[in-house]
Every structure is written in structure tokens, then in C-alpha cells.
């Protein structure tokens, strides 16, 4: 019997995020590089991840480690050459994998020739490629309005030569482009087209919610919120109403989708980095993937991004009730054919283990949610071996955000870190731990890695975890393999089992796609517990423990923090 048709690749893929600087160094300069990623492709394929997202590798003065681009068509020499990008794409594709580039549309580096021209005089033809405003007060020395940047201070910066202020949503050396200027749109859509034509399968879009701001430059309203969070970008006593989530940004998402749809050989995938509640973020998304078996076969697929990061999972209480709420919310706000995302860490946030008390069973349970709930999993490099944050002093940070806050005592930074606010993002960007060798096998033994290797690398490393069937790494392998084998996990509908059918410590859902059905039991507790199965699945398929316990008389025994996937 023929089953329903699977949705496009992007709607059922698994993504692995690579911070190139920290992944694998092939030339001994202490900096990870593109050939290093190529060298590890077999390992990545065997891990079971299907799509790689590569953080920015473009020409850049590296003030924000690549998120400050000075040449969108060049490759930073420390990472390699355009030929290396070619090889990475070809080799990944040859292994059946896809690759996403990281596209920084909102701003360039202050050293980009466009900005150099723009700031050279008020009459330069590139002047209006960026957002320039006269100041207030005589002499214009007060900023045009009260807008704050995403990271706290005012986002307006005074230019002595031309006596005006330019706007930067992030750090002062990252001036925002003005997307109300059609020339800017044309230039940046050209960049997008060129990299997609080069062979990238999609793009991760940096701070996409900031692209357009209020055209009247009205003040942002007051807010009582002090610190922004993943699900609410307001903070620093300001609501970001005039600077974020502008309706024109959502319209621009549609423009980008049309550009992505120009590539007919294989669908290109656009995922937006946007902060806010899922109900707000879904506005960025188009119709999503075609509904299996739906007639007509698809809702409009030209009307927005394919998906957005839902950072809320990083903050959910680690309980059955907490994740039940979250799954319900994701299903309500991103109903099929929209596809949610499951993100537990990235290069800006504390590593997942930090929030889970570095408890391997809890980390594995979290991996099970990430890989079995409906949505696209985004695995941050090192998450699959339980890498840890490394607390480093603000004063010597490589991260420009930390340098901006270097006046703060480290004890304050540590307190904020414990509360989930990472001022020094170096903490989650340390070199990948491949082995217990010097430099964790990331770089030549004699090299000086750009950031120190975490001392825990002696025990937490790929080689050691390969040898241990109970490791987080093997748990990822098993779950990723099962996901590849089961359409229900890749693309199936999700139905939560009612709370009354289960003990309060257990969350369970069914995934089903055509005839393919699996049930997932997630045990958020450190006891061992006997559970009556809520559905008709009886065959233990995969556990977060090396081998599942057999199911007897309709009952499963769940060990501490065990996740169990069962089939019919
Ligand atoms: C978000 C990126 O994830 C972060 O690393 C970067 O510093 C800012 N955007 C600015 O581009």
C-alpha cells in the first residue's frame, strides 16, 4: 500500500550547527577552518545529522567573529577559500547532506566599503544605504531618539566628520543597512542569490526581526523589563515596539521566500533568528510544508520564511508539565503544515548542560524531546557529547559583547550566567572536544587554540564517548538513526496523551504518519517507575539508556530520566 507523500527535505531534516572557528583546525593556527569541517564530514554523517549550518565565514575584520561582514563574496582567510566552500558543499552533498549558510542581512561591518563610502560625506551616493539621522539639541549632539540596541546601550552612534548619528541594532561596529532603500534590497538579495546559486541549501537569517524600524523614528515606549530574554526582546526599561517585528520585515520575509523559490532544482530553506513569543514569531512563516495528502496539495508556500527559531525551549521548566505546556504551545502556534524548531543551545547562549546541572541522563532526555517531538531539531556542536560552558574573565574575552561589559566585576557576570544571561559568549564557543589529546584533538598539540579548551575535555570528548554505549553521543546516534528510519518521527502528526493517563512525572505523545506510528514516553524524574502504556504500542525501539527494558503486560519500567520510544 502506498503511504502519504513525505514533505520536502527541510521540514523533516535534523540540523547541526557548526561554529567554524571552534570545530577543527587543520593548519595549526589555533582557529578552526573549512577544510576542518570537510575532514569531519564522515563523522557527522555517521552521527546521523542531515543538515549543517555553518556560522559566518565571509570576509570580516572578526570584531564579532564573523557577524560583522566586510565582504559578502569573500571567505575569511583564516577559514579558507571559496574553493574550500565549494569542496565543503560538494563533499556534503556527495554524502547526502545539506548545508545552510549564515546570512547577516541586517548590518555590515563598519569596515565594509559601503559603510566607508556612506560615512565619507553626507552627499556620497552610499549615504542612504545606512540609517543616518541628525541629532537633537543645538549642534545635534543628542541622539535622534531613545532607541536602545539589542544589547543595552543606545544604538545611535555619532559621526564626528559628517555630524550625524548612524543606527546599529547590535554593536557600534555593526551599522544597520537601510532596507527602505531599494538599492540596498537589490544588493543584499544579490548576495542571497549568489550563495544559493553557489549551492547552499538554505540560509539561517541573523537577527531577522530587526531589519526594518519605525520610519518616523518615534521613541520606544517605557517598559518595566530590565533584561531581555529569548521569548521577550523588551528590556533595559524599554519596549522595542519601534525597532523590532516591523510589519515591513514580515513583508520582506515574503520577498526572500520568492528569491528562495527561484531555485527549482531543490527547495531552499530559510530559517529566521527572531526573538519573541511563538504567537508573534509565526507571523514570519509562510504556509510551511505541504500537508501530506491534503487536497489542494499545499497552502501558499510563497509567503514567508520556512521556519523560525523557537528559543522558548531553552527556558522551559525541566518537568513533564513544563514540556507539556511547551509542546501544546508549539502545536497551537505552529500547527502543521508549519514546522516548529527545537533549539536548546547556540553560540550565544549557555550550553544546555549548564541549565540541566550537567546531568547526562537529563541531557539525554532533553535530546529525546529535541529529536522526537514534531519539528526541526537544531543541535549545537558539542551538545551531542555534553560539552560544558567555560567561565572565562570578561577582561580577556574575545567576545565583543563581553568586552563592552568588561567594567562589570566577574562575580556579577557569573551571577548573570547562573541566571541564564551569558555576557561572555566565549563560554559556549570553546574548541570541540575530539579526544583527550593535547588541545582536545581540535588543533595540533603545539598550537594555541583561539579559546582555551575546557579542562573537562579529558573525560568529555568524542573518542571517550565512542567507547561508552551509555554516553550522550551514542544516545544521539540511536535517536538520529531511529528518526531516519521512521517517517512518523520525521513528519508525523503529534498527539499528546492526556495527563490523567500517566503519572505526573511522565509526558507521552504519539507521532503518526500514514501507517507508521510510534509512542514516546519521557520520564522527568530520578526514580524508577512502572507505567501503564497509554496507547497500543508495545515494542520497545530505542531508549536513552543503551538498551530498552522489555515491555511486559502493557507496562513499561522507566528508569531515572529515561526516554523510551515504542512502536507497534
Ligand atoms: C546574532 C548572532 O547569533 C550573534 O552571534 C551576533 O553577535 C549578533 N546576531 C549580531 O550579528
Amino acid at each position: 500500500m502506498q503511504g502519504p507523500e513525505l514533505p520536502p527535505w527541510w521540514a523533516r531534516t535534523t540540523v547541526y550547527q557548526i561554529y567554524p572557528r571552534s570545530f577543527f583546525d587543520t593548519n595549526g593556527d589555533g582557529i578552526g577552518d573549512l577544510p576542518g569541517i570537510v575532514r569531519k564530514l564522515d563523522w557527522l554523517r555517521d552521527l546521523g545529522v542531515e543538515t549543517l549550518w555553518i556560522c559566518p565565514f565571509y570576509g570580516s575584520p572578526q570584531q564579532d567573529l564573523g557577524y560583522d561582514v566586510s565582504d559578502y563574496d569573500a571567505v575569511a582567510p583564516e577559514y579558507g577559500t571559496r574553493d574550500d566552500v565549494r569542496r565543503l558543499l560538494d563533499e556534503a552533498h556527495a554524502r547526502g547532506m545539506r548545508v545552510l549558510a549564515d546570512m547577516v542581512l541586517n548590518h555590515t561591518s563598519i569596515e565594509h566599503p559601503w559603510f566607508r563610502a556612506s560615512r565619507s560625506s553626507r552627499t556620497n551616493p552610499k549615504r542612504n544605504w545606512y540609517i543616518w539621522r541628525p541629532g537633537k539639541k543645538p549642534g545635534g549632539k543628542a541622539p535622534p531618539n531613545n532607541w536602545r540596541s539589542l544589547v543595552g546601550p543606545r544604538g545611535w552612534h555619532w559621526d564626528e566628520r559628517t555630524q550625524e548619528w548612524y543606527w546599529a541594532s547590535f554593536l557600534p561596529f555593526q551599522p544597520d543597512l537601510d532596507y527602505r532603500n531599494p538599492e540596498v534590497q537589490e544588493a543584499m538579495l544579490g548576495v542571497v542569490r549568489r550563495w544559493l546559486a553557489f549551492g547552499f541549501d538554505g540560509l539561517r537569517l541573523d537577527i531577522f526581526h530587526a531589519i526594518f524600524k519605525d520610519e518616523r523614528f518615534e521613541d520606544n515606549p517605557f517598559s518595566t523589563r530590565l533584561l531581555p530574554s529569548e521569548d521577550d526582546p523588551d528590556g533595559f526599561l524599554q519596549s522595542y515596539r519601534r525597532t523590532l517585528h516591523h510589519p515591513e520585515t514580515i513583508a520582506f520575509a515574503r520577498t526572500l521566500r520568492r528569491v528562495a523559490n527561484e531555485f527549482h532544482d531543490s527547495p531552499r530553506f530559510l530559517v529566521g533568528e527572531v526573538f519573541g513569543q511563538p504567537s508573534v514569531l509565526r507571523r514570519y512563516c509562510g504556509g510551511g510544508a505541504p500537508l501530506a495528502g491534503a487536497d489542494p496539495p499545499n497552502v501558499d508556500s510563497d509567503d514567508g520564511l520556512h521556519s523560525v527559531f523557537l528559543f522558548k525551549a531553552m527556558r522551559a521548566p525541566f518537568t513533564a508539565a513544563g514540556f507539556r505546556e511547551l509542546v501544546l504551545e508549539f502545536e497551537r502556534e505552529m500547527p502543521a503544515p508549519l514546522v516548529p524548531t527545537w533549539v536548546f543551545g547556540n553560540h550565544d547562549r549557555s550550553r544546555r548542560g549548564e541549565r540541566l546541572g550537567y546531568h547526562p541522563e537529563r541531557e539525554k532526555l532533553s535530546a529525546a524531546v529535541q529529536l522526537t517531538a514534531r519539528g526541526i531539531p537544531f543541535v549545537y556542536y558539542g551538545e551531542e557529547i555534553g560539552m560544558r560552558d567555560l567561565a572565562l574573565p570578561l577582561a580577556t574575552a574575545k567576545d565583543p559583547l563581553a568586552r563592552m561589559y568588561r567594567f562589570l566585576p566577574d562575580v556579577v557576570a557569573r551571577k548573570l550566567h547562573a541566571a541564564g544571561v551569558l555576557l561572555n559568549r566565549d563560554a559556549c564557543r570553546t574548541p570541540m572536544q575530539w579526544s583527550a589529546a593535547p588541545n582536545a584533538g581540535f588543533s595540533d598539540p603545539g598550537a594555541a587554540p583561539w579559546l582555551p579548551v575546557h579542562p573537562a575535555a579529558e573525560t568529555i570528548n568524542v573518542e571517550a564517548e565512542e567507547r561508552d554505549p551509555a554516553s550522550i553521543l551514542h544516545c544521539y546516534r540511536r535517536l538520529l538513526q531511529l528518526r531516519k528510519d521512521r517517517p512518523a518521527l520525521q513528519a508525523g502528526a503529534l498527539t499528546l496523551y492526556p495527563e490523567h493517563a500517566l503519572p505526573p512525572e511522565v509526558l507521552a505523545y504519539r507521532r503518526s504518519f500514514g501507517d507508521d506510528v510510534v509512542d514516546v514516553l519521557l520520564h522527568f524524574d530520578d526514580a524508577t517507575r512502572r507505567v501503564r502504556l497509554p496507547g497500543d504500542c508495545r515494542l520497545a525501539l530505542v531508549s536513552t539508556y543503551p538498551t530498552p527494558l522489555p515491555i511486559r503486560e502493557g507496562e513499561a519500567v522507566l528508569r531515572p530520566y529515561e526516554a523510551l520510544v515504542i512502536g507497534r
Side-chain angles (χ1 to χ4, degrees):
M1 201 186 85
Q2 221 183 334
E5 209 184 305
L6 282 165
W9 69 268
W10 59 265
R12 55 195 155 88
T13 196
T14 48
V15 184
Y16 184 92
Q17 180 190 351
I18 294 180
Y19 199 67
R21 215 175 182 77
S22 298
F23 198 59
F24 190 60
D25 169 22
T26 56
N27 62 358
D29 64 357
I31 295 176
D33 42 48
L34 295 166
I37 303 174
V38 175
R39 198 83 72 78
K40 295 294 180 183
L41 280 175
D42 283 342
W43 184 80
L44 289 161
R45 179 205 48 210
D46 296 347
L47 172 63
V49 291
E50 293 157 3
T51 298
L52 308 176
W53 148 28
I54 316 290
C55 286
F57 51 76
Y58 316 105
S60 161
Q62 303 292 338
Q63 282 181 277
D64 190 16
L65 290 325
Y67 284 95
D68 49 326
V69 182
S70 55
D71 185 346
Y72 286 91
D73 292 298
V75 172
E78 57 266 62
Y79 294 150
T81 61
R82 281 177 69 94
D83 283 347
D84 292 322
V85 181
R86 170 82 285 135
R87 203 162 311 120
L88 170 59
L89 290 171
D90 290 348
E91 296 276 339
H93 290 157
R95 288 166 178 77
M97 299 168 84
R98 314 263 180 173
V99 190
L100 310 179
D102 200 322
M103 192 47 67
V104 190
L105 295 172
N106 180 70
H107 49 266
T108 67
S109 158
I110 203 162
E111 291 183 25
H112 195 293
W114 296 341
F115 190 73
R116 285 176 191 259
S118 184
R119 80 183 319 180
S120 67
S121 86
R122 287 200 195 184
T123 53
N124 187 281
K126 291 274 185 307
R127 182 66 169 183
N128 58 1
W129 279 45
Y130 293 83
I131 301 171
W132 290 97
R133 300 291 293 170
K136 286 198 205 148
K137 302 235 169 95
K141 289 289 175 73
N145 61 26
N146 74 348
W147 294 357
R148 289 189 177 281
S149 74
L150 291 172
V151 286
R154 289 271 166 96
W156 291 106
H157 306 282
W158 176 248
D159 180 58
E160 196 52 47
R161 170 139 43 133
T162 59
Q163 301 277 300
E164 278 191 324
W165 300 79
Y166 70 87
W167 170 251
S169 290
F170 208 71
L171 290 166
F173 55 81
Q174 291 162 310
D176 282 30
L177 286 161
D178 186 354
Y179 276 80
R180 291 213 171 76
N181 181 341
E183 289 177 18
V184 168
Q185 286 209 24
E186 199 188 310
M188 291 310 290
L189 292 177
V191 172
V192 165
R193 283 193 179 95
R194 286 196 293 283
W195 282 115
L196 291 181
F198 198 78
F200 279 97
D201 300 283
L203 303 173
R204 174 264 188 193
L205 305 164
D206 190 64
I207 53 168
F208 191 74
H209 59 327
I211 299 262
F212 281 87
K213 0 288 154 181
D214 178 41
E215 63 273 49
R216 293 183 308 268
F217 295 93
E218 284 180 11
D219 276 356
N220 266 330
F222 172 77
S223 152
T224 52
R225 268 176 74 81
L226 205 52
L227 290 176
S229 63
E230 289 81 0
D231 49 14
D232 185 348
D234 290 350
F236 311 109
L237 300 177
Q238 186 160 114
S239 149
Y240 281 61
R241 193 180 305 163
R242 312 260 177 241
T243 37
L244 294 177
H245 299 307
H246 196 280
E248 283 178 73
T249 306
I250 297 183
F252 186 60
R254 297 195 193 106
T255 306
L256 271 180
R257 179 62 170 263
R258 280 194 291 278
V259 171
N261 287 353
E262 288 167 13
F263 295 85
H264 298 294
D265 50 345
S266 161
R268 301 302 206 270
F269 172 45
L270 301 173
V271 58
E273 186 203 29
V274 285
F275 293 85
Q277 290 291 334
S279 55
V280 174
L281 305 187
R282 73 168 285 175
R283 290 192 231 141
Y284 288 88
C285 297
L291 264 181
D295 184 24
N298 199 2
V299 287
D300 182 5
S301 62
D302 280 351
D303 57 355
L305 307 183
H306 298 78
S307 195
V308 288
F309 291 139
L310 300 176
F311 292 117
K312 215 171 176 177
M314 291 189 185
R315 293 240 170 244
F318 198 69
T319 60
F323 273 86
R324 184 182 179 81
E325 276 299 300
L326 197 66
V327 169
L328 276 172
E329 185 175 0
F330 284 11
E331 288 298 310
R332 186 177 65 240
E333 301 301 344
M334 300 278 287
L338 295 179
V339 192
T341 53
W342 286 94
V343 187
F344 288 96
N346 65 25
H347 61 292
D348 297 328
R349 310 279 144 182
S350 267
R351 284 187 173 274
R352 176 178 57 192
E354 174 84 15
R355 294 188 297 276
L356 298 180
Y358 296 121
H359 186 305
E361 294 312 327
R362 288 159 65 97
E363 290 180 61
K364 289 189 237 170
L365 178 58
S366 159
V369 177
Q370 187 178 37
L371 296 172
T372 66
R374 193 179 70 84
I376 308 164
F378 281 79
V379 180
Y380 181 48
Y381 85 93
E383 209 162 274
E384 75 283 14
I385 54 169
M387 270 178 65
R388 302 177 169 194
D389 284 353
L390 180 58
L392 293 163
L394 291 174
T396 52
K398 300 283 193 305
D399 176 10
L401 189 59
R403 288 206 302 274
M404 189 177 86
Y405 282 108
R406 63 153 66 97
F407 60 89
L408 286 174
D410 280 315
V411 53
V412 174
R414 277 200 296 276
K415 285 220 161 96
L416 285 168
H417 190 174
V421 180
L422 194 56
L423 281 191
N424 185 355
R425 297 173 297 175
D426 291 355
C428 63
R429 298 173 176 179
T430 58
M432 176 69 177
Q433 295 158 202
W434 294 103
S435 71
N439 288 336
F442 156 76
S443 196
D444 290 350
W450 77 282
L451 279 180
V453 166
H454 199 297
E458 271 196 29
T459 50
I460 299 176
N461 64 65
V462 170
E463 240 177 57
E465 296 200 22
E466 297 277 8
R467 288 192 300 265
D468 175 9
S471 64
I472 301 178
L473 180 63
H474 276 285
C475 174
Y476 263 93
R477 285 239 171 89
R478 290 192 298 276
L479 288 165
L480 283 161
Q481 184 57 52
L482 183 70
R483 200 182 146 107
K484 277 195 179 160
D485 295 342
R486 303 302 295 250
L489 288 174
Q490 295 164 32
L494 182 148
T495 321
L496 277 165
Y497 280 106
E499 275 163 300
H500 62 76
L502 299 153
E505 298 82 1
V506 178
L507 174 68
Y509 42 77
R510 167 159 290 197
R511 301 289 313 277
S512 49
F513 187 82
D515 291 345
D516 192 37
V517 173
V518 299
D519 282 346
V520 180
L521 303 180
L522 304 157
H523 182 211
F524 290 84
D525 191 44
D526 61 1
T528 295
R529 172 166 281 112
R530 194 171 284 279
V531 177
R532 175 138 293 278
L533 296 176
D536 58 354
C537 288
R538 292 286 179 273
L539 181 66
L541 298 171
V542 161
S543 159
T544 45
Y545 284 74
T547 33
L549 296 175
I551 289 183
R552 295 216 174 88
E553 291 164 16
E555 281 191 345
V557 175
L558 295 178
R559 289 161 281 186
Y561 298 107
E562 179 168 13
L564 185 63
V565 188
I566 48 184
R568 279 179 175 150

